[in-house]
Amino acid sequence: MTAAAQALSPPSRTLLLLEGRAVQELGAFILLRPWLAATPRGDGHPVLVFPGLLASDLSTRPLRSFLKNQGYAAHGWDQGRNLGLRPGVERLMMERIEELYDRHGGRKLSLVGWSLGGIYARQLAKRLPDKVRLVISLGSPFTGSPKATNAWRVYEFASGQRVDDRDNHIAGALADPPPVPTTSIFSRSDGICAWQTCVNEERDEVENIEVYGSHCGLGHHPAAVYAIADRLAQPEGRWKKFDRSGWKSVVYPDWRRG
């Protein structure tokens, strides 16, 4: 980790207070859902969605409902509230992936994770790459200082684990992308995680997509949901990076800008 990455601070109090936008973003999702339904239909493959810290499958229900209507077999993680990597959680998540893989006739799963759930998705894909089709994370802080968030103390309290020990969990260093197509969706106005901690070093099958919005609304933000549906709809084995040309250049800024 570079000195600059290590020195990152959590988002400001102003951005933290602006997390209330998540309510309006849910309203926008409901209002624009008919438009979002115009995204390409799914091919029926299973999608496993992981909630963020302190959240449960209830928080991902709007996204999973939308994905089911788009033709995917969308599932929750089915472990109650996400209280971090307590003993046994890793084993149960791997068993969930293997159970869904078998239930759907050996079809690979796409993993979608919100915040801490995105870290799980990335790391589990490293453990089970033969059962994972692609990974999408939403505002997940997988690089830089683990304390460059406004939630690290909450994580330590809920999980009983030191946040500085996080790279020792599941599959090693978090910043390394899994060996499957990987997308990070993030916002520079995230009030929970420093946005720089959510950005991949781009490679042939690794990308970043920026949206304008909050951290707590990413799982139902209309632009994020559109990008998720666009990524999931790609034929297996023919993944291409997100095309932000035309109208999409207005909704999805160039994340590389200064």
Side-chain angles (χ1 to χ4, degrees), residues 87 159 229:
S159 68

Side-chain angles (χ1 to χ4, degrees), residues 7 21 35 54 69 87 89 126 128 135 171 179 186 192 201 211 215 218 240:
R21 292 171 293 167
W35 172 76
L54 299 185
N69 288 339
V89 171
K126 297 174 187 177
L128 299 168
V135 170
F186 74 96
I192 304 297
E201 179 181 341
V211 300
H215 178 93
L218 278 174
K240 294 181 179 179

Side-chain angles (χ1 to χ4, degrees), residues 186-256:
F186 74 96
S187 169
R188 293 195 186 209
S189 59
D190 188 317
I192 304 297
C193 303
W195 66 268
Q196 297 92 333
T197 66
C198 306
V199 175
N200 286 297
E201 179 181 341
E202 286 210 342
R203 304 178 186 177
D204 288 344
E205 291 192 332
V206 181
E207 67 177 352
N208 304 295
I209 300 175
E210 182 182 350
V211 300
Y212 299 109
S214 69
H215 178 93
C216 295
L218 278 174
H220 49 250
H221 188 293
V225 172
Y226 180 96
I228 292 168
D230 179 89
R231 304 290 77 205
L232 293 175
Q234 298 178 99
E236 186 173 1
R238 287 188 281 164
W239 188 91
K240 294 181 179 179
K241 292 190 176 185
F242 186 67
D243 176 14
R244 49 177 296 277
S245 62
W247 66 267
K248 286 181 282 188
S249 65
V250 177
V251 178
Y252 303 96
D254 184 355
W255 72 271
R256 302 176 188 83

